[in-house]
């Protein structure tokens, strides 16, 4: 496949460790620290909760193995947007990109930024009035960092990824070797009466695992992407799977099941204080803050690439401005500013968590379409055109498809109104696509 023009203007300077840190860094945010109780309650037992984390990771791994085959054949900037366009045509490519930049990407950045603001206010004992300024200030600072050459953002991603692994390692080691409660041997009547189910528990873990595909947005900036992109995706997801499973096991081994159920989102904080004393809570907060900052950096580094890729093909309003690259840094600074402004508005006026929830359904619709695309590509392209082949084909992509369909069906059953809103958001992109198409045809 021939390279597009956009790869001639972006620097292919990101190596394996940068790509790997992006996968790990954009997945590990706050989910593993705050989802323990909800997964336990929904699963119905500690053993089932641990199995839910493991199964969610395995489903995500099959998705990564499938996307790795697609991405190796299309190592261009834009990720999912490029995959959908080249498999299904320009309209579907546009809609996948539109969905990500219209709400999904900015809402995720806004929600993480808003939660980080809450943590910073509590950590420094400030008034709640500082929450929004701190949230916006942090995403602006990270955005400025990513306006320099991409090696700076990548280096920061590596540093924050290493930093977030420290509290994870502490939880795993202390829970495994010093825990004596062993929640696995306990029976909790209140948990068995939970209104959730094992499927809901797996769904919660899948959301916690989401974000790994964003590294594909930088396919045009990764050295030897046909080789390094599959390696980074597969190894990154595998590391997260192991970390999530061990953290959950460590907490269940140290904290009684009834206590986890009672504490809810405060379970991990309780663990830190019980394990390391009163200072443990503050140390954990520092670890979570680093985790959130790293997660923000990965998303601010990747989402503007979708804006750039679409604007570069004149598919968006103000395409000339949004496709601008700084002459020295070769970074899409206008696209980055646009995403930051949009996310800041969401922090000030909207509930970004709700907005991101609305888009989960749509994201997984495009996920499942891309997973199906691996079968279509095998029919179109000879084996020699595949730099990477999905192990266990066709079973592996079929598991990925079933996992994505599970998310879609679960969302329809639990939030039909949200699903309809998501579809309306995507539909708004259709007239924009045809308007730009007519505009381009007259030039």
């Amino acid at each position: 496949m021939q390279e597009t023009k956009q790869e001639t203007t972006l620097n292919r300077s990101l190596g394996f460790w940068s790509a790997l840190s992006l996968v790990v860094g954009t997945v590990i945010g706050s989910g593993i620290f705050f989802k323990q109780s909800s997964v336990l309650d929904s699963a119905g037992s500690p053993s089932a909760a641990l199995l839910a984390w493991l199964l969610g990771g395995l489903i995500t791994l099959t998705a990564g193995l499938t996307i790795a085959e697609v991405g190796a054949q299309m190592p261009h900037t834009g990720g999912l947007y490029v995959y959908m366009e080249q498999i299904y045509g320009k309209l579907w490519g546009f809609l996948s990109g539109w969905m990500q930049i219209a709400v999904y990407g900015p809402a995720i950045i806004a929600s993480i930024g808003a939660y980080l603001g809450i943590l910073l206010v509590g950590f420094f004992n400030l008034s709640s009035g500082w929450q929004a300024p701190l949230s916006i200030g942090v995403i602006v600072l990270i955005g400025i960092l990513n306006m320099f050459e991409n090696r700076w953002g990548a280096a920061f991603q590596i540093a924050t990824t290493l930093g977030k692994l420290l509290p994870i390692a502490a939880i795993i080691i202390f829970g495994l070797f010093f825990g004596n409660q062993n929640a696995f041997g306990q029976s909790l009547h209140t948990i068995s009466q939970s209104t959730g189910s094992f499927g809901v528990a797996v769904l919660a873990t899948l959301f916690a695992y989401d974000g790994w595909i964003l590294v594909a947005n930088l396919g045009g900036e990764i050295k030897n992407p046909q080789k390094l992109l599959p390696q980074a995706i597969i190894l990154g997801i595998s590391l997260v799977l192991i970390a999530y499973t061990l953290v959950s096991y460590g907490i269940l081994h140290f904290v009684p099941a009834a206590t986890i159920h009672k504490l809810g989102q405060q379970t991990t904080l309780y663990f830190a204080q019980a394990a390391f004393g009163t200072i443990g809570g503050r140390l954990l907060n520092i670890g979570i803050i680093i985790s959130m900052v790293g997660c923000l950096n990965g998303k601010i580094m990747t989402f503007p690439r979708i804006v750039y890729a679409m604007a570069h093909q004149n598919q968006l309003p103000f395409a000339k401005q949004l496709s601008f690259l700084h002459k020295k840094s070769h970074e899409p600074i206008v696209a980055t500013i646009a995403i930051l402004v949009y996310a800041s508005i969401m922090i000030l006026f909207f509930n970004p968590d709700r907005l991101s929830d609305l888009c989960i359904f749509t994201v997984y619709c495009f996920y499942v379409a891309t997973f199906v695309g691996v079968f279509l590509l095998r029919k179109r392209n000879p084996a020699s055109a595949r730099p990477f082949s999905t192990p266990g084909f066709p079973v592996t992509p079929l598991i990925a498809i079933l996992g994505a369909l599970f998310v879609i069906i679960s969302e329809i059953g639990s939030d039909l109104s949200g699903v309809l809103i998501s579809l309306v958001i995507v539909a708004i992109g259709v007239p924009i696509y045809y308007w730009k198409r007519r505009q381009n045809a007259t030039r």
Side-chain angles (χ1 to χ4, degrees), residues 11-184:
N11 288 333
R12 285 195 183 273
S13 59
L14 301 181
F16 171 75
W17 293 108
S18 297
L20 178 63
S21 67
L22 277 167
V23 175
V24 176
T26 52
V27 173
I28 300 178
S30 60
I32 186 59
F33 300 112
F34 295 100
K35 286 284 188 181
Q36 297 298 326
S37 177
S38 61
V39 172
L40 175 62
D41 288 351
S42 296
S45 72
S47 297
L50 188 66
L51 180 61
W53 283 105
L54 180 61
L55 183 58
L58 291 175
I59 291 174
T60 304
L61 183 59
T62 61
L65 289 167
T66 305
I67 289 294
E69 178 172 325
V70 178
Q73 297 176 70
M74 307 175 192
H76 310 305
T77 299
L80 188 63
Y81 156 69
V82 173
Y83 306 158
M84 289 294 296
E85 179 182 277
Q86 297 198 21
I87 295 173
Y88 297 104
K90 290 186 176 296
L91 174 60
W92 290 106
F94 174 85
L95 291 177
S96 69
W98 169 256
M99 172 270 303
Q100 293 181 78
I101 67 175
V103 177
Y104 184 66
I108 289 177
I109 293 172
S111 61
I112 297 173
Y115 189 73
L116 181 57
I118 295 173
L119 287 179
L120 292 173
V121 164
F123 188 81
F124 292 107
N125 296 317
L126 301 174
S127 66
S128 59
W130 282 95
Q131 181 182 326
L134 284 173
S135 301
I136 295 173
V138 170
I139 67 172
V140 168
L141 287 175
I142 296 174
I144 291 174
L145 175 66
N146 281 280
M147 291 179 192
F148 294 96
E149 292 183 18
N150 56 18
R151 60 190 178 93
W152 293 104
F156 185 68
Q157 188 66 34
I158 292 174
T160 54
T161 298
L162 292 175
K164 73 174 60 182
L165 293 179
L166 293 178
I168 289 176
I171 292 172
I172 292 172
I173 293 172
F174 201 93
L176 292 180
F177 294 101
F178 298 96
N180 56 11
Q181 295 297 328
N182 190 15
F184 294 97

Side-chain angles (χ1 to χ4, degrees), residues 192-438:
S192 66
Q193 287 185 329
S194 169
T195 57
S197 66
F198 183 74
V200 174
V202 175
L203 184 63
T205 66
L206 286 174
F207 292 160
Y209 280 107
D210 195 35
W212 54 270
I213 199 173
L214 295 182
V215 69
N217 293 342
L218 292 104
E221 300 169 72
I222 297 175
K223 302 174 184 176
N224 191 11
Q226 291 89 346
K227 178 181 179 181
L228 296 188
L229 188 61
Q231 290 179 351
I233 290 175
I234 295 167
L235 180 57
I237 294 175
S238 299
L239 290 174
V240 173
L241 188 162
I242 294 170
Y244 278 15
T245 304
L246 289 178
V247 165
S248 300
Y249 184 87
I251 290 176
L252 289 168
H253 193 248
F254 185 84
V255 184
T259 304
I260 296 175
H261 175 75
K262 180 180 178 181
L263 290 173
Q265 293 184 348
Q266 301 299 316
T267 297
T268 309
L269 179 59
Y270 168 85
F271 176 99
Q273 293 175 338
F276 305 110
T278 55
I279 197 173
R282 292 186 66 83
L283 289 175
L284 179 66
N285 274 340
I286 293 174
I288 295 176
I289 288 170
I290 293 173
S291 177
M292 303 293 280
V293 168
C295 193
L296 271 174
N297 182 71
K299 287 171 170 54
I300 292 174
M301 190 176 183
T302 55
F303 277 117
R305 266 62 180 181
I306 306 175
V307 179
Y308 167 79
M310 296 179 71
H312 191 270
Q313 298 188 36
N314 197 28
Q315 292 184 322
L316 295 174
F318 306 105
K320 182 178 180 181
Q321 291 79 13
L322 292 172
S323 62
F324 172 78
L325 294 177
H326 191 274
K327 292 183 180 179
K328 188 174 182 180
S329 67
H330 296 276
E331 290 298 299
I333 61 174
V334 178
T336 301
I337 292 172
I339 290 289
L340 295 178
V341 169
Y342 196 3
S344 298
I345 293 172
M346 288 184 175
I347 289 174
L348 291 172
F349 299 106
F350 298 99
N351 182 343
D353 290 324
R354 174 59 174 162
L355 289 171
S356 60
D357 288 343
L358 294 179
C359 289
I360 289 295
F361 167 82
T362 316
V363 168
Y364 271 84
C365 286
F366 286 101
Y367 278 177
V368 73
T370 308
F371 300 153
V372 172
V374 75
F375 293 93
L376 301 178
L377 289 174
R378 288 215 174 192
K379 288 185 177 181
R380 297 177 191 173
N381 301 332
S384 59
R386 294 197 304 270
F388 174 84
S389 296
T390 300
F393 184 91
V395 176
T396 300
L398 286 175
I399 294 174
I401 291 170
L402 291 174
L405 288 175
F406 167 72
V407 174
I408 292 170
I409 295 170
S410 298
E411 281 291 297
I412 293 174
S414 62
D415 188 13
L416 181 59
S417 62
V419 166
L420 294 176
I421 292 173
S422 299
L423 294 176
V424 169
I425 292 172
V426 175
I428 291 173
V430 175
I432 294 177
Y433 168 79
Y434 284 108
W435 166 56
K436 293 299 296 183
R437 184 180 179 182
R438 287 195 300 268

